[in-house]
Amino acid sequence: MKRRIGDRMVHPVGLGCMNIMHAYGPPADEGEAKALLVRALDIGCDFLDTATIYGLGRSEALIGEALGARRKEYFLASKCVLGFRDRERVLDGRPEAIKAACEASLKRLQTDVIDLYYLHRPDHKVPIEESAGAMADLIKEGKIRYYGLSEMGEEQLRRAHAVHPVAALQSEYSLWVRNPEIAVLEACRELGVALVAFSPVGRGFLADPPADPASFHATDMRRSMFPRFSDENYAGNLPLLDTARVVAAEAGCRVAQLAIAWTMAMGDHVLPIPGTRNIAHLEENHAAAGVRLTAEQVARLNAAFSPERAVGPRYSPAGQASVTTEMFDFEKRQHGG
């Protein structure tokens, strides 16, 4: 059942640690967040994914505080380039910045090595080869074991891989967001790179009940960065869930579990990392690894969620400008391309 990253085998469903301290409203209660992290290890969730920017370092620190004594029990991923300085977001892919960020992350995480360290976003001012070279140096120094890329396309993947082998490419991938299928899903398979699928539950859309935009906190990024949740688009997306509910009932699982299982069915090299603050949801997500979909069910879901049926762009213009993931032609038209 386990899946490979580098030469390590991990449970196929990891835990994304962004929304514990970041993105979807105010930070979680820290005691509850630590209890969630402990419970993750207790049920066998051994792949934790965080980043420097999440909570301006607080997500990393919570992992260190809650799980530092159990460090050998989990595969730890974090990210650099997208960071902070004086509590302001910065984007810096220079080698010296990457190495400084790694040192700071190691301290917050209370560890001497990060298993998987990503370039969180492309820095258009720095050639990817220079940033990849810094990662190679960190591997030689024993401070990270593997490196990866996040929200980048096939060209940057191949360029970075030519400098030093990339272990994982992280990208948003779900029934609702099919962009990896344009190029990187197959490129990762070809190169032996794990595709780590973040937001496999569609930022809450692919849940039962689905996320309710009317309930979002004023600081929730879904209010501004993800147009599919806007008043003019959201209602048009809800009919997509009809087929998902039918197939979930057939498979004997919840819709969120179905969504996670679908990402796993897209290839043995795909590892979903759903995020949650809720222990019951954590346990359900973890159990999704046991959901088996037939080829006919996968085909029905693929047809129901064909990319052009999603209403609204994946990202706002500013969000789209921050990534180099491939777009479908209809998305290029949405963004004026």
Side-chain angles (χ1 to χ4, degrees):
M1 178 186 284
K2 290 196 171 188
R3 296 193 171 189
R4 183 179 63 83
I5 300 179
D7 63 1
R8 293 283 297 274
M9 302 296 291
V10 299
H11 190 276
V13 180
L15 174 62
C17 299
M18 178 180 76
N19 65 345
I20 294 173
M21 288 286 119
H22 182 82
Y24 300 153
D29 174 85
E30 293 200 354
E32 294 177 2
K34 289 179 181 179
L36 179 89
L37 293 167
V38 169
R39 182 60 179 158
L41 294 198
D42 288 346
I43 64 174
C45 180
D46 59 358
F47 177 22
L48 306 183
D49 182 283
T50 185
T52 293
I53 196 62
Y54 299 164
L56 301 181
R58 193 61 194 140
S59 176
E60 288 181 322
L62 279 176
I63 291 173
E65 293 165 13
L67 305 178
R70 301 176 65 176
R71 180 64 186 89
K72 294 182 179 179
E73 297 180 40
Y74 59 97
F75 185 89
L76 175 62
S78 193
K79 309 179 192 73
C80 60
V81 177
L82 184 57
F84 62 95
R85 187 178 301 123
D86 298 327
R87 302 194 64 79
E88 295 293 331
R89 289 164 63 101
V90 296
L91 185 71
D92 196 339
R94 295 173 301 150
E96 58 269 31
I98 288 170
K99 293 176 181 181
C102 182
E103 294 292 346
S105 288
L106 288 167
K107 290 178 182 177
R108 287 191 292 265
L109 291 161
Q110 298 187 26
T111 186
D112 58 0
V113 62
I114 297 170
D115 296 305
L116 174 62
Y117 202 43
Y118 290 99
L119 301 173
H120 199 163
R121 286 291 188 275
D123 182 347
H124 300 299
K125 297 179 181 178
V126 180
I128 190 67
E129 289 82 0
E130 292 185 18
S131 298
M135 294 298 219
D137 290 343
L138 289 170
I139 291 170
K140 291 175 185 176
E141 294 167 11
K143 293 177 180 177
I144 66 174
R145 291 195 170 97
Y146 308 104
Y147 86 104
L149 311 179
S150 178
E151 286 285 74
M152 300 190 203
E154 180 184 13
E155 178 191 2
Q156 286 180 303
L157 169 62
R158 292 188 183 279
R159 286 168 57 191
H161 196 75
V163 174
H164 189 283
V166 174
L169 174 72
Q170 183 170 136
S171 192
E172 184 175 5
Y173 190 29
S174 70
L175 281 164
W176 208 24
V177 174
R178 305 282 289 276
N179 299 70
E181 296 171 10
I182 300 171
V184 296
L185 180 66
E186 184 55 38
C188 285
R189 191 195 317 272
E190 173 196 332
L191 298 173
V193 175
L195 178 66
V196 177
F198 75 81
S199 296
V201 187
R203 304 184 188 277
F205 174 72
L206 298 167
D208 194 11
D212 177 9
S215 69
F216 293 166
H217 189 271
T219 61
D220 192 314
M221 290 170 58
R222 289 174 292 186
R223 283 188 173 274
S224 59
M225 194 170 178
F226 309 117
R228 291 180 185 176
F229 288 98
S230 69
D231 291 342
E232 61 268 31
N233 293 330
Y234 193 71
N237 281 298
L238 289 175
L240 296 172
L241 295 173
D242 293 343
T243 299
R245 292 190 179 104
V246 171
V247 178
E250 293 174 1
C253 66
R254 298 181 67 85
V255 173
Q257 292 178 312
L258 177 82
I260 293 167
W262 176 89
T263 64
M264 294 176 59
M266 295 302 100
D268 292 341
H269 62 308
V270 181
L271 295 90
I273 51 167
T276 184
R277 299 180 177 189
N278 182 292
I279 286 179
H281 291 167
L282 166 73
E283 293 171 347
E284 288 178 0
N285 294 344
H286 187 73
V291 175
R292 296 290 179 267
L293 302 177
T294 66
E296 187 273 336
Q297 288 170 331
V298 169
R300 263 194 288 156
L301 290 168
N302 286 346
F305 284 87
S306 58
E308 66 277 6
R309 295 191 66 192
V311 180
R314 176 168 81 105
Y315 274 133
S316 67
Q320 188 62 50
S322 73
V323 304
T324 54
T325 49
E326 287 81 7
M327 287 192 290
F328 293 101
D329 288 342
F330 72 89
E331 291 181 298
K332 295 175 184 176
R333 292 192 293 272
Q334 289 172 337
H335 285 281

